[in-house]
Structures are given as C-alpha cells and as structure tokens.
Amino acid sequence: MNFSSWPSLLVVDVEGNGTNPPDLVEVAALPVRGGRPDTNTAGAWLTKPPRPVTPFAARVHGLTNELLNTQPGWEEIAAQVHTLLGTSWVAAHNAHVDHRVLTAHLPRWQPAGVLDTLRLAKATYPGLPKYSLDALITHVEPDLTQAPAQRHRATFDAYATAQLLIAMAAHYDTWDQLVAAAVPPGLPGAPEPEEEATLW
C-alpha cells in the first residue's frame, strides 16, 4: 500500500452522554499522514452536554457531569470541529454510529467518504470470533504506547483505530481496493455498483 496516494483522512471517535439520541461529550479527530497517526495536528474536545451524562455512560468513559460542567457547550466548539474535519475522508470503528452522531451535530458537514474499520476487519481477518475494538487490538497487537488517555476515551480509541486501519491497509494494494472493502453501502465514498451489461 502506497500511503502517499491516500487522500486527506482523519480517524474520528465520539463519546456520548448515554441518552438516545446521544449528546456529545467528547470528540477526537486524528489525521493519518504517510501511514502514521499525526498526533501533532489532531483535535480533541470535551463538551458539556445539554442533558446529564447517564451513570452507565460515565462508568464506561469516566466523563462525569462534574468533570464536564466547566467545559464549553457544543455551540462553542462546533465550528472548530467542522473546520478540522473539513471535507476530508474520515474513518471510525462501526462508522455508522460516529457518522450519524457527527452529522446530527454538524448538519452542514459532508465528508468525502467514510471508512469503517469494523467492516474492513471482517474483510481482512475473516473468521475472528469478535470484531470489537478490544478484540482487534488483541488480534493485531498494534503499538499503543503513544496512545493518549485510556480505552473508551475518544482520543485513545481514535489512536487505536488509526493503528488498526494502518495495519489492515497493508493487506491491500491500492486505495481503491481499501475503499471497496471498508466503505459501507449508503455512506459517503461507497463505490458505485457496477451496472449489469445489456445486449443493447
């Protein structure tokens, strides 16, 4: 895989407050450049949700109402997030979720395409018993020594997802092959289905 052929791409991860639909409490966007996660130009934001964090969500990611109480509201940081994401490609694990939540919070945002590392993992490593982020970390053993924060925080999960994406990309010769394996139907960047040939 020639990483220099990749378009601009950021690995994203979001954490929510546990409500349905969720309010955001953390967003991370980590560029991948030259086959490596670029933490120097990454973005990470905490935001106070309009509705309280549920006890279950707080147990998962550790972001409590007390901790978030002094953080800016979403309307104060939305423009910054939108500017960093721009029109780049994005990648996420189980990308439908992150794409749905981000588009709900950024109605004018439209990525060039969306890679799903869950879909990619099923194509790259068929037969695994599980394809959760934890299961793939165990299977691939990416280098997470430089990962910020801890598991279930957006910054850590984005870094881990980036390392998994880079490892899986090595199994594909071209960007187009990667896209064909990783972009779910119906999300931006999905390859057009080939039209069946006709006799006239």
Side-chain angles (χ1 to χ4, degrees):
M1 171 63 74
N2 177 12
F3 288 104
S4 65
S5 68
W6 283 28
S8 175
L9 179 140
L10 299 100
V11 178
V12 298
D13 190 73
V14 301
E15 301 297 336
N17 65 337
T19 62
N20 189 19
D23 298 320
L24 287 172
V25 296
E26 187 177 30
V27 179
L30 175 63
V32 173
R33 294 192 173 93
R36 302 171 71 155
D38 183 3
T39 53
N40 292 325
T41 58
W45 297 267
L46 291 174
T47 178
K48 179 183 177 181
R51 292 173 292 177
V53 178
T54 65
F56 175 78
R59 282 197 300 274
V60 172
H61 49 52
L63 296 170
T64 62
N65 291 301
E66 291 75 20
L67 188 140
L68 294 168
N69 202 38
T70 57
Q71 300 299 323
W74 177 250
E75 66 283 354
E76 297 175 66
I77 63 169
Q80 298 173 41
V81 179
H82 196 167
T83 297
L84 182 60
L85 294 176
T87 56
S88 298
W89 281 74
V90 296
H93 196 68
N94 199 10
H96 280 287
V97 174
D98 300 79
H99 180 257
R100 183 173 63 243
V101 174
L102 282 169
T103 51
H105 284 76
L106 298 169
R108 292 189 298 277
W109 171 64
Q110 178 68 22
V114 180
L115 300 180
D116 181 7
T117 52
L118 175 60
R119 182 181 177 87
L120 180 61
K122 290 179 178 178
T124 310
Y125 308 120
L128 292 185
K130 289 184 177 179
Y131 291 93
S132 66
L133 200 58
D134 287 323
L136 290 171
I137 289 169
T138 299
H139 180 73
V140 179
E141 297 183 338
D143 181 4
L144 300 180
T145 54
Q146 301 300 312
Q150 68 277 344
R151 178 74 175 93
H152 296 298
R153 288 291 302 275
T155 48
F156 182 100
D157 289 1
Y159 189 94
T161 301
Q163 293 289 55
L164 291 170
L165 172 63
I166 292 160
M168 290 188 285
H171 294 256
Y172 299 85
D173 292 329
T174 66
W175 169 258
D176 287 345
Q177 288 177 4
L178 186 71
V179 165
V183 180
L187 286 187
E192 293 292 324
E194 290 186 16
E195 293 186 16
E196 293 199 18
T198 61
L199 295 176
W200 57 83

